[in-house]
C-alpha cells in the first residue's frame, strides 16, 4: 500500500505517544490533530487495511475502527447477498421468459397447454444482535 501520504501528515513531527494514549482524554487530543490533517482518510484506510488495532489513526480511536470493520463486513455480506438475489431473480426471470416462449411455441404447434412454475430464491433472514450488544 502506498505510504507517500505519511509525509504530509500533521502528526509526522509530533511525539508518537500522543497518538497512542492510555485514556479517553488522550484520544481526544490526538483526534483534534487529525481533524485538520489533509491525509486523514488515507491514514484511516492504512490502519484498516493493515489491521492496526492500537492508537489513533485517521481521527479514529481503536473502538471506532472496530465498529467500522464490523460495519464494512456486514455491508459487504449484505451487498453480496443482494447481488446474489438480484442475479438469481434475473436468472429466474430469464428462464421463465424462455420457458414461456417455449411453451407458447409448443402450444401453438400442438394445441396443448403447458404451465411453467418459477420460484424466486429466498435468502435467510439476518440473525438479530444478541441482547445487550448495540
Amino acid at each position: 500500500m502506498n505510504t507517500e501520504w505519511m509525509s504530509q501528515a500533521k502528526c509526522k513531527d509530533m511525539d508518537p505517544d500522543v497518538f497512542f494514549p492510555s485514556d479517553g482524554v488522550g484520544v481526544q487530543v490526538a483526534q483534534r490533530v487529525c481533524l485538520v490533517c489533509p491525509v486523514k482518510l488515507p491514514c484511516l484506510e492504512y490502519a484498516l487495511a493493515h489491521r492496526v488495532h492500537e492508537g489513533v489513526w485517521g481521527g479514529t480511536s481503536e473502538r471506532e475502527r472496530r465498529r467500522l470493520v464490523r460495519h464494512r463486513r456486514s455491508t459487504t455480506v449484505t451487498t453480496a447477498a443482494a447481488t446474489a438475489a438480484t442475479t438469481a431473480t434475473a436468472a429466474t426471470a430469464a428462464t421463465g421468459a424462455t420457458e414461456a416462449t417455449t411453451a407458447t411455441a409448443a402450444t401453438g404447434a400442438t394445441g396443448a397447454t403447458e404451465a411453467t412454475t418459477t420460484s424466486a430464491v429466498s435468502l435467510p433472514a439476518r440473525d438479530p444482535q444478541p441482547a445487550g450488544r448495540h
Side-chain angles (χ1 to χ4, degrees):
M1 175 174 238
N2 183 354
T3 57
E4 291 176 16
W5 57 268
M6 289 183 177
S7 66
Q8 300 170 21
K10 292 284 184 189
C11 63
K12 71 179 178 181
D13 296 322
M14 294 182 71
D15 181 358
D17 289 342
V18 171
F19 298 91
F20 295 90
S22 60
D23 62 7
V25 173
V27 169
Q28 291 174 351
V29 169
Q31 287 176 326
R32 274 187 247 136
V33 174
C34 297
L35 189 63
V36 295
C37 184
V39 294
K40 186 165 84 172
L41 186 58
C43 180
L44 173 58
E45 290 299 332
Y46 177 88
L48 294 173
H50 290 87
R51 298 176 187 219
V52 179
H53 300 290
E54 299 83 23
V56 174
W57 289 78
T60 60
S61 66
E62 299 162 14
R63 181 179 295 168
E64 290 167 329
R65 285 195 306 283
R66 282 193 302 270
R67 285 184 192 141
L68 277 170
V69 168
R70 278 194 307 268
H71 176 73
R72 283 184 174 186
R73 207 176 297 139
S74 70
T75 301
T76 301
V77 169
T78 302
T79 302
T83 301
T86 302
T87 303
T89 302
T92 301
T95 303
T98 302
E99 290 171 354
T101 302
T102 304
T104 303
T107 301
T110 63
T113 304
E114 183 177 322
T116 304
T117 305
T118 59
S119 63
V121 174
S122 63
L123 300 174
R126 280 183 70 190
D127 291 336
Q129 283 189 331
R133 293 189 64 197
H134 300 292

